[in-house]
Amino acid sequence: MSFSSADAQSLMEITSRPPLYFVSGEGSWLTDDTGKRYLDCIQGWAVNCLGHCPPQLVKALNDQAGKLINPSPAFFNEPSVALAKRLIDASCFDRVFFTNSGAEANEGVIKLARKWGQKKKNGAYKIITFDHSFHGRTLATMSASGKPGWDTKFAPQVDGFPKAELNNLESVKALIDDNTVAVMLEPVQGEGGVIPAEMAFMKALRELTRENNMLLIVDEVQTGMGRCGELFAYQAYGIEPDIMSLGKGIGGGIPLAAMLAREEVSCFEHGDQGGTYNGNPLITAGGIAVFDTLAAPGFMQSVQVRSEQLSQGLLALSEKWGMKGERGMGMLRALMLDKDDGPAIVDAARERGPEGMLLNAPRPNLLRFMSALNMTEDELKLMLAWLDEVIAQVRA
């Protein structure tokens, strides 16, 4: 089947898409209907943590599809229990609730924090979030987000999300009142420009929330599942949050996300939370395959090696082209450009021949890299070489 712009009109218009029609993928590569291959440095916005069609995920889905797909979340099933146990054993949390998307996980986080506030803190409901943060596209998670312009897009917003400034503890303190129940942040603001929380800030934030009987929530939809060099990014800061959301990489490309909480915070009552597909055995069996790959001996060490290679490679390009450096954690990194030609670089990389490359520019002066965690050394070298070539073409 080849791409047809007429047929594509049946899809609702939500974004500008290039006339590409992808038909297959393997590892770090995608192939379109013309046979052209693309080195994928986006991977579904950090979703495909093991690349396209990883064999262990494909096998797990095929095996489980022949056994049991969806018995209803009103009953236990083996894969969901097994995946929950793995997540608990690998983290500081005690309970898991599976969802279908990161936004849904964050909706659950907000509801759980407010429930805790009702039961433990005289009805406190406000959750301090941060400028330039991104927590999802539902009404509540958009309200929690600090993305410019989102406060009016589907007004009125859901109340209760005052915004502080990342890495500025005083700005958090200034927002605390008797109705404040929690602080919620991404360890690295991905959509906001790949801006990491500083070590001292994160530690001080943990102490501040404890002193004020508030919850600390980490949104690890993008930073979790090995993306930042540890299984969960909070572990790199040496702290223990109260609630965490996971998404994207937890399913390796399939619709899986989760909310995790400590036992004393897990205060939902029957009927407070649910979902038709949540924790179904087909998807959680895939999650087990992804988790076991990430947790295998040596895997996270290899991620750290590739991360260093990426960081050094981006720094070298920055120095060569007079750019403004790079930043990030693990395999979530950004090249800070010295001019607003990010979109032009993205277009030129995609149109490159005979093979293309898929890049992301969340801001005009920044390129974001979310390659597969198991991208090879040679593939990363190729990406850096092609990026240098494309920059030279755009800036000629």
Side-chain angles (χ1 to χ4, degrees):
M1 183 179 292
S2 59
F3 177 78
S4 165
S5 58
D7 289 345
Q9 294 302 311
S10 59
L11 294 173
M12 190 171 289
E13 184 76 16
I14 59 164
T15 189
S16 176
R17 293 185 176 109
L20 288 179
Y21 197 76
F22 288 118
V23 296
S24 64
E26 182 178 0
S28 291
W29 295 89
L30 278 170
T31 303
D32 69 15
D33 59 309
T34 71
K36 180 179 176 179
R37 296 204 316 157
Y38 300 79
L39 184 60
D40 187 1
C41 306
I42 303 173
Q43 290 292 348
W45 281 267
V47 168
N48 310 321
C49 62
L50 301 176
H52 295 284
C53 300
Q56 57 272 58
L57 177 57
V58 172
K59 183 179 187 305
L61 294 174
N62 284 333
D63 289 350
Q64 186 60 43
K67 297 177 184 177
L68 182 64
I69 293 177
N70 186 22
S72 162
F75 306 101
F76 294 114
N77 70 77
E78 182 181 3
S80 70
V81 172
L83 180 55
K85 184 66 163 56
R86 283 166 165 79
L87 291 168
I88 292 311
D89 288 346
S91 71
C92 66
F93 303 101
D94 305 295
R95 299 277 185 165
V96 178
F97 175 75
F98 290 115
T99 69
N100 309 302
S101 69
E104 189 185 353
N106 280 334
E107 282 276 341
V109 163
I110 292 166
K111 289 166 65 177
L112 184 62
R114 288 189 170 187
K115 184 74 175 188
W116 185 84
Q118 291 169 8
K119 295 172 73 79
K120 303 289 186 178
K121 204 178 176 189
N122 301 316
Y125 68 96
K126 292 181 182 177
I127 299 174
I128 297 172
T129 57
F130 291 85
D131 289 336
H132 306 296
S133 60
F134 183 91
H135 298 293
R137 294 182 179 274
T138 64
L139 283 176
T141 55
M142 286 183 72
S143 300
S145 300
K147 189 169 181 176
W150 275 28
D151 55 337
T152 58
K153 190 175 284 287
F154 300 107
Q157 285 198 304
V158 177
D159 185 34
F161 299 101
K163 305 296 187 296
E165 179 184 346
L166 189 67
N167 295 320
N168 181 341
L169 195 67
E170 294 303 315
S171 74
V172 179
K173 290 179 180 178
L175 295 174
I176 296 173
D177 61 26
D178 291 342
N179 286 317
T180 307
V181 71
V183 177
M184 179 178 181
L185 79 163
E186 306 155 274
V188 180
Q189 290 186 339
E191 191 75 11
V194 193
I195 305 170
E198 295 170 357
M199 179 71 72
F201 173 77
M202 191 71 96
K203 287 183 178 295
L205 193 61
R206 174 69 281 190
E207 289 306 309
L208 179 67
T209 51
R210 285 199 176 114
E211 291 167 2
N212 288 273
N213 189 30
M214 294 164 15
L215 303 176
L216 179 62
I217 302 166
V218 288
D219 174 349
E220 296 228 26
V221 169
Q222 185 163 144
T223 62
M225 303 310 294
R227 176 57 53 182
C228 290
E230 302 284 348
L231 192 57
F232 310 115
Y234 80 79
Q235 294 169 329
Y237 292 93
I239 63 163
E240 292 190 350
D242 300 297
I243 308 176
M244 174 174 72
S245 56
L246 294 173
K248 296 186 183 292
I250 189 176
I254 57 177
L256 176 63
M259 171 178 64
L260 291 79
R262 295 190 299 109
E263 182 66 35
E264 53 267 41
V265 181
S266 302
C267 58
F268 277 148
E269 298 173 2
H270 291 186
D272 284 346
Q273 187 65 309
T276 306
Y277 303 107
N278 298 152
N280 76 73
L282 178 65
I283 300 302
T284 49
I288 290 172
V290 172
F291 182 95
D292 287 350
T293 301
L294 299 182
F299 187 90
M300 291 313 305
Q301 288 81 356
S302 71
V303 173
Q304 293 163 7
V305 170
R306 290 287 77 73
S307 167
E308 183 63 18
Q309 181 188 359
L310 176 58
S311 175
Q312 293 302 315
L314 294 177
L315 280 173
L317 286 175
S318 176
E319 183 174 351
K320 175 179 178 178
W321 291 101
M323 296 174 179
K324 297 184 178 181
E326 69 90 38
R327 65 187 177 213
M329 287 177 65
M331 291 293 282
L332 176 59
R333 311 203 76 87
L335 177 62
M336 296 178 284
L337 309 177
D338 56 318
K339 57 182 71 174
D340 291 347
D341 56 358
I345 292 171
V346 168
D347 290 344
R350 186 181 64 250
E351 294 165 5
R352 182 190 180 278
E355 294 175 316
M357 182 166 62
L358 303 179
L359 300 174
N360 170 245
R363 298 188 173 196
N365 63 348
L366 185 137
L367 296 175
R368 176 172 49 164
F369 300 87
M370 301 163 285
S371 305
L373 301 183
N374 56 355
M375 191 180 204
T376 68
E377 179 181 4
D378 287 343
E379 286 170 337
L380 191 42
K381 286 181 180 177
L382 188 63
M383 183 204 81
L384 292 166
W386 285 1
L387 180 57
D388 186 28
E389 169 196 308
V390 169
I391 292 170
Q393 175 189 333
V394 169
R395 298 190 171 187

PDB file of all heavy atoms in Angstrom, residues 213-241:
ATOM      1  N   ASN A 213       4.059  18.509  55.457  1.00  0.00           N
ATOM      2  CA  ASN A 213       3.064  17.431  55.341  1.00  0.00           C
ATOM      3  C   ASN A 213       2.419  17.426  53.956  1.00  0.00           C
ATOM      4  O   ASN A 213       1.196  17.388  53.807  1.00  0.00           O
ATOM      5  CB  ASN A 213       1.991  17.569  56.427  1.00  0.00           C
ATOM      6  CG  ASN A 213       1.074  16.349  56.484  1.00  0.00           C
ATOM      7  OD1 ASN A 213       1.486  15.233  56.169  1.00  0.00           O
ATOM      8  ND2 ASN A 213      -0.168  16.559  56.886  1.00  0.00           N
ATOM      9  N   MET A 214       3.271  17.479  52.936  1.00  0.00           N
ATOM     10  CA  MET A 214       2.826  17.465  51.549  1.00  0.00           C
ATOM     11  C   MET A 214       3.445  16.278  50.825  1.00  0.00           C
ATOM     12  O   MET A 214       4.500  15.774  51.225  1.00  0.00           O
ATOM     13  CB  MET A 214       3.220  18.772  50.829  1.00  0.00           C
ATOM     14  CG  MET A 214       2.505  19.978  51.380  1.00  0.00           C
ATOM     15  SD  MET A 214       3.216  21.598  50.925  1.00  0.00           S
ATOM     16  CE  MET A 214       4.307  21.255  49.581  1.00  0.00           C
ATOM     17  N   LEU A 215       2.798  15.839  49.763  1.00  0.00           N
ATOM     18  CA  LEU A 215       3.303  14.736  48.955  1.00  0.00           C
ATOM     19  C   LEU A 215       4.273  15.255  47.901  1.00  0.00           C
ATOM     20  O   LEU A 215       4.109  16.365  47.388  1.00  0.00           O
ATOM     21  CB  LEU A 215       2.147  14.012  48.262  1.00  0.00           C
ATOM     22  CG  LEU A 215       1.040  13.461  49.161  1.00  0.00           C
ATOM     23  CD1 LEU A 215      -0.068  12.856  48.309  1.00  0.00           C
ATOM     24  CD2 LEU A 215       1.601  12.433  50.140  1.00  0.00           C
ATOM     25  N   LEU A 216       5.268  14.442  47.569  1.00  0.00           N
ATOM     26  CA  LEU A 216       6.144  14.728  46.437  1.00  0.00           C
ATOM     27  C   LEU A 216       5.828  13.728  45.330  1.00  0.00           C
ATOM     28  O   LEU A 216       5.912  12.514  45.535  1.00  0.00           O
ATOM     29  CB  LEU A 216       7.621  14.628  46.834  1.00  0.00           C
ATOM     30  CG  LEU A 216       8.611  14.889  45.686  1.00  0.00           C
ATOM     31  CD1 LEU A 216       8.456  16.310  45.140  1.00  0.00           C
ATOM     32  CD2 LEU A 216      10.051  14.646  46.141  1.00  0.00           C
ATOM     33  N   ILE A 217       5.438  14.257  44.178  1.00  0.00           N
ATOM     34  CA  ILE A 217       5.029  13.445  43.032  1.00  0.00           C
ATOM     35  C   ILE A 217       6.021  13.645  41.895  1.00  0.00           C
ATOM     36  O   ILE A 217       6.329  14.785  41.523  1.00  0.00           O
ATOM     37  CB  ILE A 217       3.626  13.856  42.543  1.00  0.00           C
ATOM     38  CG1 ILE A 217       2.600  13.729  43.672  1.00  0.00           C
ATOM     39  CG2 ILE A 217       3.208  13.031  41.334  1.00  0.00           C
ATOM     40  CD1 ILE A 217       1.277  14.421  43.364  1.00  0.00           C
ATOM     41  N   VAL A 218       6.532  12.552  41.342  1.00  0.00           N
ATOM     42  CA  VAL A 218       7.394  12.645  40.165  1.00  0.00           C
ATOM     43  C   VAL A 218       6.650  12.099  38.953  1.00  0.00           C
ATOM     44  O   VAL A 218       6.145  10.978  38.979  1.00  0.00           O
ATOM     45  CB  VAL A 218       8.742  11.918  40.354  1.00  0.00           C
ATOM     46  CG1 VAL A 218       9.637  12.687  41.303  1.00  0.00           C
ATOM     47  CG2 VAL A 218       8.560  10.492  40.845  1.00  0.00           C
ATOM     48  N   ASP A 219       6.557  12.915  37.934  1.00  0.00           N
ATOM     49  CA  ASP A 219       5.997  12.507  36.648  1.00  0.00           C
ATOM     50  C   ASP A 219       7.146  11.934  35.827  1.00  0.00           C
ATOM     51  O   ASP A 219       7.952  12.671  35.266  1.00  0.00           O
ATOM     52  CB  ASP A 219       5.365  13.719  35.957  1.00  0.00           C
ATOM     53  CG  ASP A 219       4.876  13.411  34.537  1.00  0.00           C
ATOM     54  OD1 ASP A 219       5.203  12.334  34.002  1.00  0.00           O
ATOM     55  OD2 ASP A 219       4.178  14.261  33.967  1.00  0.00           O
ATOM     56  N   GLU A 220       7.208  10.600  35.780  1.00  0.00           N
ATOM     57  CA  GLU A 220       8.273   9.932  35.036  1.00  0.00           C
ATOM     58  C   GLU A 220       7.734   9.259  33.773  1.00  0.00           C
ATOM     59  O   GLU A 220       8.238   8.225  33.339  1.00  0.00           O
ATOM     60  CB  GLU A 220       8.999   8.937  35.944  1.00  0.00           C
ATOM     61  CG  GLU A 220       9.722   9.597  37.109  1.00  0.00           C
ATOM     62  CD  GLU A 220      11.144   9.113  37.279  1.00  0.00           C
ATOM     63  OE1 GLU A 220      11.745   8.668  36.284  1.00  0.00           O
ATOM     64  OE2 GLU A 220      11.644   9.182  38.419  1.00  0.00           O
ATOM     65  N   VAL A 221       6.711   9.856  33.195  1.00  0.00           N
ATOM     66  CA  VAL A 221       6.167   9.324  31.953  1.00  0.00           C
ATOM     67  C   VAL A 221       7.250   9.276  30.877  1.00  0.00           C
ATOM     68  O   VAL A 221       7.371   8.289  30.147  1.00  0.00           O
ATOM     69  CB  VAL A 221       4.963  10.173  31.486  1.00  0.00           C
ATOM     70  CG1 VAL A 221       4.545   9.800  30.073  1.00  0.00           C
ATOM     71  CG2 VAL A 221       3.794   9.980  32.440  1.00  0.00           C
ATOM     72  N   GLN A 222       8.059  10.320  30.793  1.00  0.00           N
ATOM     73  CA  GLN A 222       9.140  10.337  29.803  1.00  0.00           C
ATOM     74  C   GLN A 222      10.487   9.937  30.393  1.00  0.00           C
ATOM     75  O   GLN A 222      11.297   9.312  29.721  1.00  0.00           O
ATOM     76  CB  GLN A 222       9.261  11.721  29.161  1.00  0.00           C
ATOM     77  CG  GLN A 222      10.275  11.784  28.034  1.00  0.00           C
ATOM     78  CD  GLN A 222      10.117  12.990  27.128  1.00  0.00           C
ATOM     79  OE1 GLN A 222      11.088  13.555  26.647  1.00  0.00           O
ATOM     80  NE2 GLN A 222       8.896  13.390  26.865  1.00  0.00           N
ATOM     81  N   THR A 223      10.739  10.259  31.652  1.00  0.00           N
ATOM     82  CA  THR A 223      12.074  10.034  32.225  1.00  0.00           C
ATOM     83  C   THR A 223      12.266   8.631  32.788  1.00  0.00           C
ATOM     84  O   THR A 223      13.395   8.217  33.033  1.00  0.00           O
ATOM     85  CB  THR A 223      12.357  11.048  33.340  1.00  0.00           C
ATOM     86  OG1 THR A 223      11.389  10.869  34.391  1.00  0.00           O
ATOM     87  CG2 THR A 223      12.295  12.467  32.821  1.00  0.00           C
ATOM     88  N   GLY A 224      11.176   7.888  33.011  1.00  0.00           N
ATOM     89  CA  GLY A 224      11.282   6.581  33.631  1.00  0.00           C
ATOM     90  C   GLY A 224      11.675   5.478  32.667  1.00  0.00           C
ATOM     91  O   GLY A 224      11.883   5.696  31.479  1.00  0.00           O
ATOM     92  N   MET A 225      11.798   4.272  33.200  1.00  0.00           N
ATOM     93  CA  MET A 225      12.121   3.068  32.439  1.00  0.00           C
ATOM     94  C   MET A 225      13.444   3.190  31.679  1.00  0.00           C
ATOM     95  O   MET A 225      13.552   2.911  30.486  1.00  0.00           O
ATOM     96  CB  MET A 225      10.976   2.711  31.497  1.00  0.00           C
ATOM     97  CG  MET A 225       9.635   2.515  32.192  1.00  0.00           C
ATOM     98  SD  MET A 225       9.678   1.404  33.638  1.00  0.00           S
ATOM     99  CE  MET A 225      10.085  -0.169  32.886  1.00  0.00           C
ATOM    100  N   GLY A 226      14.471   3.645  32.402  1.00  0.00           N
ATOM    101  CA  GLY A 226      15.819   3.641  31.869  1.00  0.00           C
ATOM    102  C   GLY A 226      16.210   4.836  31.037  1.00  0.00           C
ATOM    103  O   GLY A 226      17.380   4.987  30.678  1.00  0.00           O
ATOM    104  N   ARG A 227      15.274   5.709  30.705  1.00  0.00           N
ATOM    105  CA  ARG A 227      15.551   6.803  29.780  1.00  0.00           C
ATOM    106  C   ARG A 227      16.658   7.727  30.274  1.00  0.00           C
ATOM    107  O   ARG A 227      17.442   8.257  29.477  1.00  0.00           O
ATOM    108  CB  ARG A 227      14.251   7.605  29.545  1.00  0.00           C
ATOM    109  CG  ARG A 227      14.343   8.834  28.689  1.00  0.00           C
ATOM    110  CD  ARG A 227      14.888   8.599  27.309  1.00  0.00           C
ATOM    111  NE  ARG A 227      14.208   7.563  26.550  1.00  0.00           N
ATOM    112  CZ  ARG A 227      14.567   7.189  25.328  1.00  0.00           C
ATOM    113  NH1 ARG A 227      15.618   7.767  24.726  1.00  0.00           N
ATOM    114  NH2 ARG A 227      13.923   6.220  24.697  1.00  0.00           N
ATOM    115  N   CYS A 228      16.752   7.918  31.596  1.00  0.00           N
ATOM    116  CA  CYS A 228      17.726   8.869  32.145  1.00  0.00           C
ATOM    117  C   CYS A 228      18.946   8.201  32.779  1.00  0.00           C
ATOM    118  O   CYS A 228      19.671   8.827  33.554  1.00  0.00           O
ATOM    119  CB  CYS A 228      17.036   9.786  33.150  1.00  0.00           C
ATOM    120  SG  CYS A 228      15.903  10.946  32.367  1.00  0.00           S
ATOM    121  N   GLY A 229      19.184   6.944  32.445  1.00  0.00           N
ATOM    122  CA  GLY A 229      20.389   6.267  32.915  1.00  0.00           C
ATOM    123  C   GLY A 229      20.212   5.431  34.152  1.00  0.00           C
ATOM    124  O   GLY A 229      21.097   4.665  34.522  1.00  0.00           O
ATOM    125  N   GLU A 230      19.083   5.601  34.861  1.00  0.00           N
ATOM    126  CA  GLU A 230      18.663   4.725  35.960  1.00  0.00           C
ATOM    127  C   GLU A 230      17.292   4.184  35.581  1.00  0.00           C
ATOM    128  O   GLU A 230      16.614   4.740  34.715  1.00  0.00           O
ATOM    129  CB  GLU A 230      18.580   5.491  37.284  1.00  0.00           C
ATOM    130  CG  GLU A 230      19.864   6.167  37.721  1.00  0.00           C
ATOM    131  CD  GLU A 230      20.872   5.179  38.279  1.00  0.00           C
ATOM    132  OE1 GLU A 230      20.500   4.015  38.541  1.00  0.00           O
ATOM    133  OE2 GLU A 230      22.043   5.582  38.457  1.00  0.00           O
ATOM    134  N   LEU A 231      16.858   3.100  36.235  1.00  0.00           N
ATOM    135  CA  LEU A 231      15.550   2.565  35.881  1.00  0.00           C
ATOM    136  C   LEU A 231      14.479   3.638  36.041  1.00  0.00           C
ATOM    137  O   LEU A 231      13.605   3.802  35.190  1.00  0.00           O
ATOM    138  CB  LEU A 231      15.228   1.338  36.737  1.00  0.00           C
ATOM    139  CG  LEU A 231      14.017   0.523  36.272  1.00  0.00           C
ATOM    140  CD1 LEU A 231      14.179   0.049  34.832  1.00  0.00           C
ATOM    141  CD2 LEU A 231      13.768  -0.657  37.206  1.00  0.00           C
ATOM    142  N   PHE A 232      14.572   4.412  37.147  1.00  0.00           N
ATOM    143  CA  PHE A 232      13.688   5.560  37.357  1.00  0.00           C
ATOM    144  C   PHE A 232      14.573   6.767  37.648  1.00  0.00           C
ATOM    145  O   PHE A 232      15.525   6.669  38.425  1.00  0.00           O
ATOM    146  CB  PHE A 232      12.727   5.309  38.515  1.00  0.00           C
ATOM    147  CG  PHE A 232      12.007   3.989  38.422  1.00  0.00           C
ATOM    148  CD1 PHE A 232      12.231   2.993  39.364  1.00  0.00           C
ATOM    149  CD2 PHE A 232      11.135   3.734  37.376  1.00  0.00           C
ATOM    150  CE1 PHE A 232      11.595   1.773  39.264  1.00  0.00           C
ATOM    151  CE2 PHE A 232      10.491   2.514  37.275  1.00  0.00           C
ATOM    152  CZ  PHE A 232      10.717   1.523  38.217  1.00  0.00           C
ATOM    153  N   ALA A 233      14.251   7.904  37.073  1.00  0.00           N
ATOM    154  CA  ALA A 233      15.125   9.071  37.197  1.00  0.00           C
ATOM    155  C   ALA A 233      15.258   9.539  38.639  1.00  0.00           C
ATOM    156  O   ALA A 233      16.312  10.053  39.032  1.00  0.00           O
ATOM    157  CB  ALA A 233      14.607  10.215  36.321  1.00  0.00           C
ATOM    158  N   TYR A 234      14.210   9.377  39.474  1.00  0.00           N
ATOM    159  CA  TYR A 234      14.303   9.839  40.865  1.00  0.00           C
ATOM    160  C   TYR A 234      15.456   9.168  41.592  1.00  0.00           C
ATOM    161  O   TYR A 234      16.030   9.735  42.538  1.00  0.00           O
ATOM    162  CB  TYR A 234      12.980   9.624  41.603  1.00  0.00           C
ATOM    163  CG  TYR A 234      12.730   8.222  42.106  1.00  0.00           C
ATOM    164  CD1 TYR A 234      13.330   7.762  43.286  1.00  0.00           C
ATOM    165  CD2 TYR A 234      11.899   7.348  41.414  1.00  0.00           C
ATOM    166  CE1 TYR A 234      13.110   6.464  43.745  1.00  0.00           C
ATOM    167  CE2 TYR A 234      11.670   6.064  41.863  1.00  0.00           C
ATOM    168  CZ  TYR A 234      12.286   5.618  43.031  1.00  0.00           C
ATOM    169  OH  TYR A 234      12.072   4.339  43.481  1.00  0.00           O
ATOM    170  N   GLN A 235      15.820   7.949  41.162  1.00  0.00           N
ATOM    171  CA  GLN A 235      16.894   7.217  41.830  1.00  0.00           C
ATOM    172  C   GLN A 235      18.244   7.917  41.667  1.00  0.00           C
ATOM    173  O   GLN A 235      19.121   7.780  42.518  1.00  0.00           O
ATOM    174  CB  GLN A 235      16.955   5.785  41.285  1.00  0.00           C
ATOM    175  CG  GLN A 235      15.718   4.965  41.639  1.00  0.00           C
ATOM    176  CD  GLN A 235      15.641   3.647  40.906  1.00  0.00           C
ATOM    177  OE1 GLN A 235      16.114   3.504  39.771  1.00  0.00           O
ATOM    178  NE2 GLN A 235      15.015   2.657  41.533  1.00  0.00           N
ATOM    179  N   ALA A 236      18.406   8.669  40.591  1.00  0.00           N
ATOM    180  CA  ALA A 236      19.662   9.400  40.385  1.00  0.00           C
ATOM    181  C   ALA A 236      19.820  10.549  41.376  1.00  0.00           C
ATOM    182  O   ALA A 236      20.922  11.047  41.586  1.00  0.00           O
ATOM    183  CB  ALA A 236      19.709   9.952  38.950  1.00  0.00           C
ATOM    184  N   TYR A 237      18.703  10.967  42.011  1.00  0.00           N
ATOM    185  CA  TYR A 237      18.739  12.081  42.961  1.00  0.00           C
ATOM    186  C   TYR A 237      18.861  11.607  44.411  1.00  0.00           C
ATOM    187  O   TYR A 237      18.980  12.440  45.319  1.00  0.00           O
ATOM    188  CB  TYR A 237      17.478  12.936  42.810  1.00  0.00           C
ATOM    189  CG  TYR A 237      17.396  13.679  41.498  1.00  0.00           C
ATOM    190  CD1 TYR A 237      16.737  13.129  40.405  1.00  0.00           C
ATOM    191  CD2 TYR A 237      17.979  14.935  41.342  1.00  0.00           C
ATOM    192  CE1 TYR A 237      16.647  13.806  39.194  1.00  0.00           C
ATOM    193  CE2 TYR A 237      17.894  15.618  40.138  1.00  0.00           C
ATOM    194  CZ  TYR A 237      17.234  15.046  39.071  1.00  0.00           C
ATOM    195  OH  TYR A 237      17.148  15.715  37.877  1.00  0.00           O
ATOM    196  N   GLY A 238      18.780  10.313  44.646  1.00  0.00           N
ATOM    197  CA  GLY A 238      18.902   9.799  46.004  1.00  0.00           C
ATOM    198  C   GLY A 238      17.743  10.169  46.902  1.00  0.00           C
ATOM    199  O   GLY A 238      17.922  10.353  48.113  1.00  0.00           O
ATOM    200  N   ILE A 239      16.542  10.289  46.329  1.00  0.00           N
ATOM    201  CA  ILE A 239      15.354  10.626  47.118  1.00  0.00           C
ATOM    202  C   ILE A 239      14.297   9.542  46.927  1.00  0.00           C
ATOM    203  O   ILE A 239      14.425   8.684  46.047  1.00  0.00           O
ATOM    204  CB  ILE A 239      14.761  11.982  46.707  1.00  0.00           C
ATOM    205  CG1 ILE A 239      14.283  11.925  45.246  1.00  0.00           C
ATOM    206  CG2 ILE A 239      15.762  13.108  46.927  1.00  0.00           C
ATOM    207  CD1 ILE A 239      13.352  13.029  44.862  1.00  0.00           C
ATOM    208  N   GLU A 240      13.253   9.588  47.760  1.00  0.00           N
ATOM    209  CA  GLU A 240      12.125   8.677  47.618  1.00  0.00           C
ATOM    210  C   GLU A 240      10.839   9.493  47.566  1.00  0.00           C
ATOM    211  O   GLU A 240      10.416  10.051  48.580  1.00  0.00           O
ATOM    212  CB  GLU A 240      12.084   7.674  48.776  1.00  0.00           C
ATOM    213  CG  GLU A 240      13.242   6.693  48.762  1.00  0.00           C
ATOM    214  CD  GLU A 240      13.057   5.564  49.760  1.00  0.00           C
ATOM    215  OE1 GLU A 240      12.122   5.639  50.598  1.00  0.00           O
ATOM    216  OE2 GLU A 240      13.854   4.599  49.718  1.00  0.00           O
ATOM    217  N   PRO A 241      10.202   9.584  46.392  1.00  0.00           N
ATOM    218  CA  PRO A 241       8.940  10.318  46.280  1.00  0.00           C
ATOM    219  C   PRO A 241       7.793   9.516  46.907  1.00  0.00           C
ATOM    220  O   PRO A 241       7.959   8.361  47.315  1.00  0.00           O
ATOM    221  CB  PRO A 241       8.743  10.460  44.763  1.00  0.00           C
ATOM    222  CG  PRO A 241      10.024   9.972  44.135  1.00  0.00           C
ATOM    223  CD  PRO A 241      10.659   9.050  45.116  1.00  0.00           C
TER     224      PRO A 241
END
